[in-house]
Amino acid sequence: MHAFRKLFLAAAIVGVSACGSDNPAAPDLDMELDPAVIEARLADVEAIHDHPALATMLELGSGSPAVTSVSKTFERTSRILSRTKQATQSGTLVRNPHESRKIAAAVGQYVPVENRGTVYMWEGEAGWIESARTGAPSDGIRFIIPELDATGLPTENELGWLDVRDLGTATSDRVVATLVAGGKTLFSMDERDSETETRWTESGTAVVTDGVHRVEYTYSYDETWTSETEYRGLETYTLGTNVGLAYRGAWAWGDMRASDVNYNEVTVGRATIRFAWRTVFDAETQSYYESDDADITVNGQLIAREIYDETLGDWVYEDAEGVPLSEERIAQLNTAFQVTEWLWEAVMWPAEVVWNWTYSVAGAPIL
């Protein structure tokens, strides 16, 4: 079992001991957030990376789960989870996740023209070496995924290949990556962005699967500037699976409107838990902003609120009747949102490998 999942289970066991005591009318989360049930769901997600081609790709790519990168990429979890992250992980959460993913290339090229059509072979300590083989896409490069022996050196057997294609134009960037093994696509991603003087847009999709279980990811960001100081940004994320786990989130930035609702939402089995931040109107500035307080609902029913206490200088958690939440309930909410981190890791780890390999052979920008 991965060390990061052991951390999760420790929190989960604490979280379920008395979760029904805060509000008799609240939905019962015991069954859906039972540690054994979540362990089984997470085991299915974790098993995706055990496919030989994916496992070898990840072993050659970074050697360990990209938990720190996931922490930096994952945006706007509840402050409950933020504190848990800060207590258990190094690294700092960033306000805008797209800032860590912006392209740094001067001419917008991920795969330079001189590298396109090249097939790369893994040669152990020498890393990826350009070969005379053909078969790479004309608009990208190909990495041959070898079978490794007990010492970590490549054998003559091949498990599959990873193609990275640069489909950018003069006005936009786009990269498509595909890992194929045994005639099946195990990982794919499609990321694109464009920029004008007044607008920046990004979008991305990714799917990782072992042929049985799968995690799907979508992302979009649209930022429009009306002046040097005024802008509006809209951002959405989704992470879906076929094992009863999912995440959704949406935020508005800058010029907010009355109809905006910023939220993080995680589904575990039949329980959907949402943190939603209300939009507040400021009469002095004649503008809207996101409240510090959040409503916490389960399947649409209010069960708690996250409220900033000026006296304490910290957030407190109360149920719908104003009674402070127990530590057990808070730990249980933590448990639900921690699930999201491993969904992120399932997708972001192979994506990180794609960027690292592309950079290593072509000098392309990385995350």
Side-chain angles (χ1 to χ4, degrees):
M1 182 189 300
H2 288 318
F4 61 81
R5 212 148 49 83
K6 290 180 181 177
L7 263 178
F8 161 76
L9 287 175
I13 293 169
V14 171
V16 179
S17 59
C19 61
S21 62
D22 299 305
N23 182 354
D28 186 359
L29 303 181
D30 285 356
M31 181 177 297
E32 301 301 340
L33 296 187
D34 179 87
V37 174
I38 296 180
E39 161 72 0
R41 296 184 192 278
L42 286 177
D44 288 339
V45 172
E46 192 175 51
I48 294 174
H49 287 177
D50 292 335
H51 187 285
L54 264 169
T56 301
M57 173 186 174
L58 299 178
E59 180 179 349
L60 296 179
S62 58
S64 61
V67 174
T68 300
S69 294
V70 172
S71 174
K72 291 180 179 178
T73 304
F74 181 52
E75 162 62 5
R76 291 294 309 267
T77 33
S78 73
R79 294 178 182 90
I80 294 178
L81 180 53
S82 295
R83 282 203 290 271
T84 300
K85 285 174 176 288
Q86 291 162 3
T88 60
Q89 297 178 0
S90 60
T92 304
L93 290 173
V94 294
R95 176 68 172 174
N96 289 312
H98 75 282
E99 289 295 336
S100 66
R101 304 173 67 82
K102 277 190 176 179
I103 296 99
V107 293
Q109 287 188 344
Y110 286 83
V111 182
V113 173
E114 58 267 26
N115 294 92
R116 298 181 187 184
T118 302
V119 176
Y120 292 92
M121 307 291 292
W122 180 258
E123 299 294 342
E125 291 185 3
W128 292 106
I129 301 298
E130 183 176 334
S131 75
R133 289 179 54 165
T134 60
S138 60
D139 51 13
I141 53 182
R142 171 169 291 183
F143 299 93
I144 301 299
I145 311 298
E147 181 182 63
L148 302 179
D149 64 21
T151 66
L153 294 176
T155 69
E156 294 182 356
N157 297 326
E158 297 175 1
L159 301 176
W161 66 82
L162 172 72
D163 283 349
V164 182
R165 302 173 62 202
D166 187 336
L167 304 180
T169 68
T171 59
S172 64
D173 294 306
R174 183 183 178 192
V175 173
V176 174
T178 309
L179 173 66
V180 177
K184 297 181 179 180
T185 298
L186 302 181
F187 175 73
S188 62
M189 76 175 199
D190 186 337
E191 294 204 12
R192 61 187 77 189
D193 63 71
S194 64
E195 186 174 13
T196 67
E197 291 184 358
T198 59
R199 189 180 184 191
W200 167 274
T201 62
E202 279 189 66
S203 63
T205 62
V207 178
V208 61
T209 179
D210 60 357
V212 178
H213 310 108
R214 62 191 287 117
V215 179
E216 299 180 357
Y217 159 82
T218 64
Y219 165 70
S220 68
Y221 184 82
D222 191 331
E223 183 177 291
T224 304
W225 289 82
T226 54
S227 72
E228 289 186 359
T229 58
E230 296 181 351
Y231 75 97
R232 175 171 172 79
L234 298 173
E235 187 167 25
T236 63
Y237 279 100
T238 66
L239 282 160
T241 72
N242 62 350
V243 297
L245 301 172
Y247 165 78
R248 290 163 292 277
W251 307 279
W253 309 97
D255 180 18
M256 297 187 68
R257 300 169 186 175
S259 59
D260 291 333
V261 177
N262 292 353
Y263 70 88
N264 283 305
E265 179 179 281
V266 63
T267 297
V268 181
R270 293 173 294 175
T272 296
I273 304 168
R274 172 181 285 206
F275 276 67
W277 288 266
R278 299 180 294 278
T279 303
V280 180
F281 183 70
D282 186 331
E284 182 176 347
T285 62
Q286 292 293 296
S287 62
Y288 291 92
Y289 65 94
E290 179 190 281
S291 170
D292 283 333
D293 303 340
D295 291 336
I296 306 171
T297 60
V298 175
N299 296 347
Q301 180 178 345
L302 181 69
I303 66 163
R305 288 188 174 93
E306 179 186 62
I307 302 169
Y308 187 75
D309 188 311
E310 295 284 352
T311 303
L312 296 175
D314 200 357
W315 282 273
V316 297
Y317 301 89
E318 299 178 350
D319 67 15
E321 305 301 323
V323 178
L325 289 188
S326 66
E327 290 299 320
E328 289 83 2
R329 176 69 91 185
I330 292 174
Q332 189 179 45
L333 294 174
N334 251 330
T335 295
F337 275 91
Q338 284 174 344
V339 167
T340 306
E341 290 198 48
W342 292 280
L343 300 187
W344 273 103
E345 192 255 349
V347 173
M348 291 303 173
W349 190 5
E352 184 179 76
V353 171
V354 169
W355 293 118
N356 287 342
W357 284 0
T358 305
Y359 179 79
S360 72
V361 301
I366 59 173
L367 294 177

